[in-house]
Amino acid sequence: MKLIIMGPPGTGKGTHATHLQNKYGLQIIGTGNILRQEVEKKTELGEKIKATMDAGHLVDDAIVIEVVKKRIKLIKSYILDGFPRNTEQALALKNFLKERGEHLDTVIYIETSEQELTERLSGRLVCNKCGRVYQIRTMPPQMTGVCDTCKQSLTHREDDAPEVIKKRIETYREQTEPLLEFYRDEDILKTVNGNQDPESVFADIIGVLEQI
Ligand code: AMP
């Protein structure tokens, strides 16, 4: 199965992708995480990527498309989290799959209101060691500020600062939201209500997948 999980920043794509990985054994290809790993390596490319991410802009299409192609070549069942993010990326993905005689099964769109997104992103905490994500209100850690899994201190992502959040949501509206129409035309878009608690959102996602 080949899925895309789509929605504005803060909608919980990464968390739901992890649950889907556990439930169905799908591999996650999360471009945000892949790019953050490159930043961690402190290479010249990593420094360039960091500046773009910290400003809330999209990283160069050529870089991201190459990274995704390299990974999807090797696996049959996956969830794309954070990709594609604009029309150029969506077309590159479509053509690449077509060349290989493959296609996407479903695009799950988690529709979430702006107020909910801002609240969630400003209360998001991450573990820099294992990558686990928490949310102060909806998914808090057992001990304040400490990762349940590896007991490391939790931090805020640098791009979760209020002014960057605003820019990221703006970038999403301008560049990524038009893809909803693209996938609606392909008849593979399924929408779930993201303004619910995470368990209900996930139950709706499962409901969609059980139908295909
Ligand atoms: P995310 O973790 O998905 O919220 O992504 C964090 C940041 O990584 C974004 O704000 C972008 O700067 C960058 N990024 C992630 N995925 C992509 C993509 N498909 N295209 C361009 N930039 C991306």
Side-chain angles (χ1 to χ4, degrees):
M1 193 180 326
K2 296 175 178 43
L3 301 179
I4 293 179
I5 191 153
M6 241 185 100
T11 203
K13 299 184 295 289
T15 302
H16 295 304
T18 305
H19 292 326
L20 289 173
Q21 179 179 46
N22 296 338
K23 189 170 170 73
Y24 296 113
L26 300 168
Q27 201 160 317
I28 304 172
I29 301 171
T31 44
N33 283 340
I34 296 169
L35 294 170
R36 277 186 286 278
Q37 280 163 16
E38 192 58 41
V39 170
E40 282 296 305
K41 287 190 213 156
K42 300 200 187 304
T43 56
E44 203 178 317
L45 176 65
E47 292 297 327
K48 211 173 123 198
I49 291 173
K50 183 177 186 317
T52 310
M53 287 173 88
D54 286 353
H57 296 297
L58 293 185
V59 173
D60 196 47
D61 285 333
I63 296 173
V64 184
I65 291 169
E66 208 41 49
V67 158
V68 171
K69 279 188 184 174
K70 224 158 98 185
R71 283 178 164 73
I72 62 178
K73 241 194 313 214
L74 305 173
I75 40 179
K76 275 201 149 37
S77 288
Y78 49 79
I79 314 165
L80 290 170
D81 164 15
F83 182 94
R85 255 179 156 100
N86 59 23
T87 310
E88 172 137 14
Q89 294 179 10
L91 287 172
L93 174 65
K94 184 177 172 171
N95 293 334
F96 187 70
L97 291 175
K98 199 165 158 199
E99 277 166 24
R100 299 168 57 80
E102 298 173 349
H103 64 273
L104 289 169
D105 293 285
T106 295
V107 177
I108 296 171
Y109 168 47
I110 312 177
E111 188 174 31
T112 314
S113 72
E114 199 118 342
Q115 190 193 344
E116 184 71 25
L117 295 175
T118 313
E119 256 181 64
R120 282 196 207 164
L121 285 172
S122 45
R124 176 157 77 174
L125 292 169
V126 291
C127 174
N128 286 333
K129 190 163 177 218
C130 72
R132 196 163 160 185
V133 179
Y134 299 85
Q135 213 290 332
I136 292 169
R137 182 170 49 96
T138 56
M139 255 194 308
Q142 282 161 14
M143 205 193 299
T144 308
V146 179
C147 178
D148 296 350
T149 313
C150 59
K151 311 297 173 208
Q152 289 282 310
S153 295
L154 299 172
T155 55
H156 283 282
R157 262 171 54 173
E158 280 186 37
D159 60 351
D160 281 344
E163 63 285 3
V164 187
I165 292 176
K166 203 161 157 254
K167 182 69 206 164
R168 285 165 62 209
I169 294 178
E170 208 178 288
T171 304
Y172 172 83
R173 297 277 178 233
E174 280 169 18
Q175 304 204 39
T176 312
E177 214 164 54
L179 295 184
L180 297 177
E181 211 45 51
F182 181 92
Y183 289 120
R184 202 170 279 128
D185 285 349
E186 305 231 318
D187 212 15
I188 52 172
L189 185 76
K190 306 280 179 201
T191 302
V192 300
N193 175 8
N195 298 316
Q196 316 174 74
D197 60 85
E199 290 76 20
S200 307
V201 177
F202 190 63
D204 286 358
I205 293 175
I206 298 299
V208 164
L209 294 181
E210 299 287 324
Q211 279 173 20
I212 60 170

